[in-house]
Amino acid sequence: MAKEKVLTAEEVINKASRYLSGKDTAFIRKAYEYAKEAHKNQFRKSGEPYIHHPVQVAGILVDLEMDPATVAGGFLHDVVEDTDVTLEDLKETFNVEVAMLVDGVTKLGKIKYKSREAQQAENHRKMFVAMARDIRVILIKLADRLHNMRTLKHLPPEKQRRIANETLEIFAPLAHRLGISTIKWELEDTALRFLNPQQYYRIVNLMKQKRAEREYYIDEVIQEIDERLKEVKIDAEISGRPKHLYSIYRKMVMQNKQFNEIYDLLAVRVIVNSIKDCYAVLGIIHTCWKPMPGRFKDYIAMPKPNLYQSLHTTVIGPKGDPLEVQIRTHEMHEIAEYGIAAHWAYKEGKQLNKHKQTFEDKLTWFREILEWQNEAHDAEEFMESLKMDLFSDMVYVFTPKGDVIELPAGSVPIDFAYRIHTEVGNQTIGAKINGKMEPLDYQLKTGDIVEIMTSKHSYGPSKDWLKITKTSQAKNKIKQFFKKQRREENISKGRELVEKEIRNLDLEPKEVMTQENLNKVAEKFRFTGDEDMYAAVGYQGITAQQVANRLAELVRPKGKTQDFEDVLEEVKQEVGTRKTKRTESGVKVKGVDNLLVRLSRCCNPVPGDEIVGYITKGRGVSVHRKDCPNVARNEVQGRLIPVEWENTGNQDKQYNVDIEISGYDRHGLLNEVLQAINETKTHITAVTGKANQNHMATIHITILIHNLHHLRKIVDRIKQIPDVYTVRRMIQ
């Protein structure tokens, strides 16, 4: 464990002056003087003046070469929480930026909570939400936590264990996710010292016993590598890499090994000038010593999500012991040690933005934190989601294009789909893993290539998905879908009811229900828009008759106009104006009577679908759904004509619809699906099904329905069946 590096305020400011301008140095000096005055007559548990702590926090931030506002925030981070200074005071004396950073790390001290755990969770939520808005908040908090861990010995044992445990659960993993290994290792080693002192000192003593022997061995290896590199004229910095105590402890516990069974205690780091040199050094290392199978990792070609890059290889060293070698450039080494801080560093007074945008694009989970914050019922639920998604073990999988996606261990293809895009997740109907179809509850492994199969005719996620998904992002998106779907169903239902009431008043809905009229009536009922009004009718907040009566009051006689003369002329030429026997399609061509109209069997439109007519050669008008692929072809576009349903609420006529259901192939699944359809009093005309070797069942059913609302009721009922993953309407 690193010893505390005690710095004076002057030493911190002098260090800062090496990379900050005179104006910026004066700014942070002003912050120190302000903090010193605010904390006067305050002392820490160790008996030292309180200002000692902010000075050390600012010193850690200066070591990371942070910008002036962040260093000032380090000096001032406790003034609002522990003194009479307010955020308004900081805004006036410094600026809004500094006040915002200080507010982000300030605990919620004036609100009473049911328990200390609830208060701590709320504090963490506040900090993480602030971090999502500005990452520098967490850098100040990590520096604060690091100095508190260095001085933890002055607190009572119970408090030591609580703080150390919190550090291991939240702050060390966070430092790892941000790539700041220098802080991560010290936090972990110090936490281990207070959580398991017996094992900590045992490992320290065991390492001391063989230190001389290890150092001699490493020196010998370094000398040989250096000689080989000089032969090919590669400049390199070669050093032994210290193994951290906590990583040794974790291997002993997780892999149930004794200290003498930990083979990678011996490690060498080679730092070179270019990526080309990295691979050249790798070739020389593998020429000198035999590489161990499966122990080579290329993080240069495929960087970790926190932008860590390096070549890792383990070889059988000169004495037959495993030897780990890391090879990277100077720039990669800076990012490996300081992570996100390297992207915020100031040099010669200018912020380095070379990697900043790339880094922020990679760490999309910052923005997701705000989504979790909105979805979580309370702070404790929010923190559990955060721990699960950010701090659990991770798997790294690939898109078909080779992009790396990071997910918590245990994630399934649905988690992957929602990480790509919400609509990809909502339209998922299957997944190929490494080119092979797998069930949607397949647990992804590092290295898997994942291809998501989607269909725009899918009816969206199943509630069963909530049980198999791992990430909070996927769960929240699925919940949002069902919340939105219920609203959309009510809107659709409300619109149909209002249209029915309008017809009962012997009026034409399209003439009455103009946007202008709808807005006026919605305003009278104090709704923000017509959709809110329809939704209220759908869930019976107001009646359709009330809305219809108000709309009818606004109607004035209007003459009908026809906009389709050119198209209708073509209809007459193609079909003729002869009287024909009308079919019972329930569809009419706008402005033309006595035409043969038939429903297309490729997409089976039903009342409620958006439809379009296609003028056929001598066979009248064929009606398709607007999203049917057959009407999207260029040669078809010139023969399309507007059509409309005569009565979407007609319960007498029935229409064929083909649906496909996929899910886990278990005993009784087909019976439950058929029973669910029968419960809706729906006729089934055809059923086929099959299952593959991966226990994925696919069921095709043709049913007779009245309208789109009827179909949605059936689909919703099927999706409630356990182990049903997707339901979609088919197009032939």
Side-chain angles (χ1 to χ4, degrees):
M1 184 188 72
K3 292 181 180 179
E4 186 188 357
K5 302 162 189 172
V6 181
L7 297 171
T8 65
E10 282 305 316
E11 286 173 331
V12 172
I13 293 167
N14 286 339
K15 271 189 173 186
S17 67
R18 294 173 193 167
Y19 70 93
L20 294 180
S21 67
K23 182 182 176 183
D24 290 335
T25 304
F27 182 78
I28 66 168
R29 182 182 290 279
K30 177 183 174 184
Y32 162 67
E33 297 293 348
Y34 191 93
K36 182 181 177 183
E37 179 62 26
H39 289 298
K40 70 179 179 181
N41 302 324
Q42 288 184 337
F43 296 88
R44 285 169 63 82
K45 296 284 185 184
S46 60
E48 299 166 318
Y50 195 92
I51 191 62
H52 174 82
H53 169 65
V55 168
Q56 305 314 305
V57 170
I60 293 166
L61 294 169
V62 166
D63 285 339
L64 297 174
E65 297 194 351
M66 295 307 298
D67 63 291
T70 308
V71 177
F75 279 124
L76 298 163
H77 76 276
D78 275 338
V79 294
V80 174
E81 187 178 326
D82 294 333
T83 76
D84 294 331
V85 173
T86 66
L87 289 172
E88 288 302 318
D89 294 335
L90 292 183
K91 286 178 189 175
E92 287 179 18
T93 309
F94 297 94
N95 54 42
V96 174
E97 187 180 14
V98 170
M100 180 273 297
L101 293 174
V102 172
D103 183 41
V105 294
T106 299
K107 293 177 185 173
L108 302 164
K110 296 178 182 177
I111 304 172
K112 290 187 178 178
Y113 293 89
K114 289 183 289 186
S115 65
R116 187 187 60 76
E117 288 77 13
Q119 179 167 10
Q120 194 70 337
E122 197 63 61
N123 285 329
H124 287 147
R125 167 148 73 172
K126 178 176 183 285
M127 179 187 70
F128 278 106
V129 171
M131 177 188 90
R133 296 192 178 103
D134 195 318
I135 191 62
R136 293 173 295 173
V137 168
I138 205 60
L139 295 174
I140 297 173
K141 190 62 186 177
L142 285 173
D144 172 52
R145 178 52 59 113
L146 180 56
H147 183 251
N148 282 334
M149 290 300 291
R150 288 174 180 174
T151 57
L152 203 57
K153 62 186 178 185
H154 301 293
L155 297 180
E158 185 183 341
K159 204 167 185 180
Q160 288 176 351
R161 285 191 293 274
R162 178 174 60 79
I163 293 172
N165 195 57
E166 181 186 60
T167 299
L168 275 186
E169 276 193 355
I170 294 174
F171 293 100
L174 188 57
H176 172 65
R177 288 300 300 267
L178 298 174
I180 313 173
S181 60
T182 52
I183 290 180
K184 176 207 171 190
W185 291 121
E186 189 175 345
L187 288 176
E188 287 182 338
D189 286 357
T190 315
L192 177 62
R193 177 186 167 191
F194 291 100
L195 286 174
N196 197 334
Q198 186 179 356
Q199 281 285 39
Y200 174 84
Y201 287 110
R202 176 171 173 261
I203 295 170
V204 169
N205 290 330
L206 287 169
M207 290 187 76
K208 278 181 182 176
Q209 289 170 13
K210 294 190 175 182
R211 176 172 292 170
E213 182 183 331
R214 279 202 312 274
E215 287 177 353
Y216 177 78
Y217 180 71
I218 289 292
D219 288 343
E220 189 179 328
V221 168
I222 289 173
Q223 186 177 349
E224 185 163 353
I225 295 174
D226 188 48
E227 288 173 1
R228 294 294 187 98
L229 295 185
K230 282 178 180 174
E231 288 175 10
V232 293
K233 297 181 180 177
I234 292 178
D235 292 328
E237 293 177 15
I238 311 168
S239 60
R241 184 178 69 84
K243 195 70 181 175
H244 296 279
L245 303 177
Y246 185 73
S247 65
I248 296 171
Y249 169 76
R250 266 182 65 89
K251 285 196 174 182
M252 291 170 67
V253 172
M254 303 290 286
Q255 300 175 18
N256 197 23
K257 289 184 176 181
Q258 294 298 316
F259 181 81
N260 56 8
E261 295 177 290
I262 306 292
Y263 292 119
D264 56 354
L265 294 174
L266 303 172
V268 171
R269 181 176 291 144
V270 184
I271 301 175
V272 293
N273 296 324
S274 67
I275 292 175
K276 181 182 72 172
D277 288 346
C278 289
Y279 289 100
V281 171
L282 178 69
I284 290 167
I285 298 293
H286 283 181
T287 304
C288 291
W289 301 291
K290 188 175 181 180
M292 290 179 67
R295 295 299 300 270
F296 169 65
K297 295 183 178 69
D298 188 345
Y299 294 121
I300 293 179
M302 291 181 294
K304 290 185 179 181
N306 60 14
L307 294 190
Y308 174 89
Q309 287 184 289
S310 190
L311 296 177
H312 291 194
T313 186
T314 303
V315 297
I316 304 299
K319 295 183 179 178
D321 293 326
L323 170 71
E324 186 183 57
V325 182
Q326 294 181 353
I327 310 162
R328 59 179 71 146
T329 65
H330 292 279
E331 187 179 13
M332 290 173 193
H333 182 62
E334 184 180 354
I335 292 168
E337 292 294 297
Y338 302 114
I340 193 170
H343 307 292
W344 277 98
Y346 267 57
K347 291 188 179 174
E348 296 177 3
K350 293 183 180 178
Q351 189 176 8
L352 296 176
N353 288 314
K354 185 175 179 182
H355 299 286
K356 183 172 176 287
Q357 189 57 50
T358 312
F359 190 88
E360 290 181 354
D361 289 343
K362 288 278 186 182
L363 295 180
T364 54
W365 49 272
F366 283 147
R367 291 181 287 280
E368 289 164 13
I369 286 173
L370 293 174
E371 274 185 37
W372 301 333
Q373 139 85 3
N374 293 332
E375 290 294 322
H377 296 297
D378 54 43
E380 285 154 308
E381 182 186 332
F382 169 76
M383 285 309 298
E384 283 307 309
S385 297
L386 199 67
K387 287 177 188 177
M388 182 184 295
D389 278 19
L390 300 190
F391 306 147
S392 59
D393 291 335
M394 310 305 288
V395 294
Y396 301 91
V397 295
F398 297 91
T399 67
K401 291 183 179 179
D403 295 328
V404 181
I405 303 294
E406 181 188 45
L407 292 165
S411 292
V412 298
I414 301 167
D415 293 299
F416 175 92
Y418 279 105
R419 183 60 56 88
I420 298 299
H421 194 276
T422 301
E423 283 309 305
V424 173
N426 288 342
Q427 295 177 7
T428 295
I429 59 170
K432 282 185 180 180
I433 313 296
N434 304 321
K436 177 183 169 187
M437 286 297 294
E438 295 286 358
L440 291 177
D441 61 354
Y442 169 91
Q443 290 200 359
L444 299 173
K445 303 178 188 69
T446 294
D448 282 343
I449 300 171
V450 186
E451 182 181 354
I452 297 297
M453 320 298 291
T454 63
S455 169
K456 61 182 177 181
H457 305 297
S458 162
Y459 277 93
S462 159
K463 287 190 176 176
D464 225 39
W465 288 8
L466 290 169
K467 299 174 188 172
I468 60 176
T469 48
K470 177 79 173 176
T471 61
S472 299
Q473 180 193 25
K475 290 181 190 296
N476 288 335
K477 294 295 183 185
I478 294 166
K479 289 175 186 174
Q480 284 174 16
F481 175 86
F482 286 114
K483 191 184 293 182
K484 183 180 177 185
Q485 186 187 50
R486 284 194 293 274
R487 172 177 162 78
E488 289 181 349
E489 281 177 5
N490 282 327
I491 291 170
S492 177
K493 181 181 175 184
R495 187 182 286 113
E496 287 180 15
L497 290 171
V498 171
E499 286 179 358
K500 184 177 179 182
E501 288 295 333
I502 293 288
R503 289 192 185 94
N504 289 342
L505 296 172
D506 292 327
L507 294 169
E508 178 59 38
K510 290 197 175 178
E511 291 181 2
V512 177
M513 298 168 68
T514 64
Q515 194 60 51
E516 183 183 356
N517 289 345
L518 288 170
N519 288 342
K520 286 178 181 177
V521 173
E523 191 175 343
K524 283 183 180 178
F525 283 110
R526 299 181 183 236
F527 292 110
T528 55
D530 60 315
E531 287 194 346
D532 286 347
M533 180 174 70
Y534 285 139
V537 174
Y539 62 71
Q540 299 179 342
I542 58 172
T543 67
Q545 191 175 11
Q546 286 174 292
V547 175
N549 288 340
R550 289 293 180 96
L551 285 168
E553 291 170 8
L554 300 173
V555 174
R556 297 287 181 271
K558 292 182 182 178
K560 290 188 179 179
T561 60
Q562 293 185 349
D563 300 320
F564 310 111
E565 286 81 5
D566 294 340
V567 182
L568 296 183
E569 187 60 35
E570 186 177 352
V571 174
K572 291 172 184 176
Q573 291 173 6
E574 291 283 358
V575 183
T577 54
R578 67 189 182 282
K579 288 194 175 182
T580 60
K581 183 181 177 182
R582 292 184 63 201
T583 65
E584 295 299 318
S585 65
V587 176
K588 63 180 180 181
V589 178
K590 290 184 180 179
V592 179
D593 289 327
N594 302 320
L595 287 182
L596 180 66
V597 178
R598 61 187 180 84
L599 300 179
S600 167
R601 297 189 64 182
C602 63
C603 57
N604 285 331
V606 300
D609 282 330
E610 291 188 35
I611 51 175
V612 66
Y614 169 65
I615 304 165
T616 65
K617 300 281 187 182
R619 289 187 300 137
V621 175
S622 174
V623 178
H624 295 258
R625 280 159 50 187
K626 275 192 177 177
D627 61 356
C628 177
N630 292 327
V631 299
R633 300 198 306 268
N634 291 331
E635 66 268 21
V636 169
Q637 294 299 309
R639 306 183 66 80
L640 299 182
I641 185 171
V643 293
E644 62 185 5
W645 295 104
E646 288 185 305
N647 185 0
T648 58
N650 185 4
Q651 295 293 314
D652 298 327
K653 181 158 180 60
Q654 293 185 316
Y655 301 81
N656 274 319
V657 168
D658 297 318
I659 58 173
E660 180 184 88
I661 301 147
S662 63
Y664 179 69
D665 180 28
R666 61 169 171 81
H667 182 70
L669 179 65
L670 178 59
N671 286 339
E672 289 183 35
V673 170
L674 296 177
Q675 185 180 347
I677 296 173
N678 284 330
E679 285 172 359
T680 64
K681 298 180 180 178
T682 301
H683 293 294
I684 301 172
T685 60
V687 180
T688 60
K690 62 180 179 180
N692 62 22
Q693 68 272 27
N694 296 317
H695 302 290
M696 278 290 290
T698 304
I699 303 168
H700 293 137
I701 299 182
T702 304
I703 54 178
L704 290 173
I705 65 160
H706 301 301
N707 51 40
L708 197 59
H709 180 64
H710 183 189
L711 177 59
R712 282 180 180 144
K713 282 174 65 178
I714 297 166
V715 170
D716 286 345
R717 181 65 189 85
I718 294 171
K719 283 166 67 177
Q720 290 172 12
I721 299 170
D723 299 317
V724 167
Y725 295 150
T726 61
V727 183
R728 71 184 182 104
R729 189 170 165 189
M730 296 176 64
I731 289 183
Q732 297 175 359

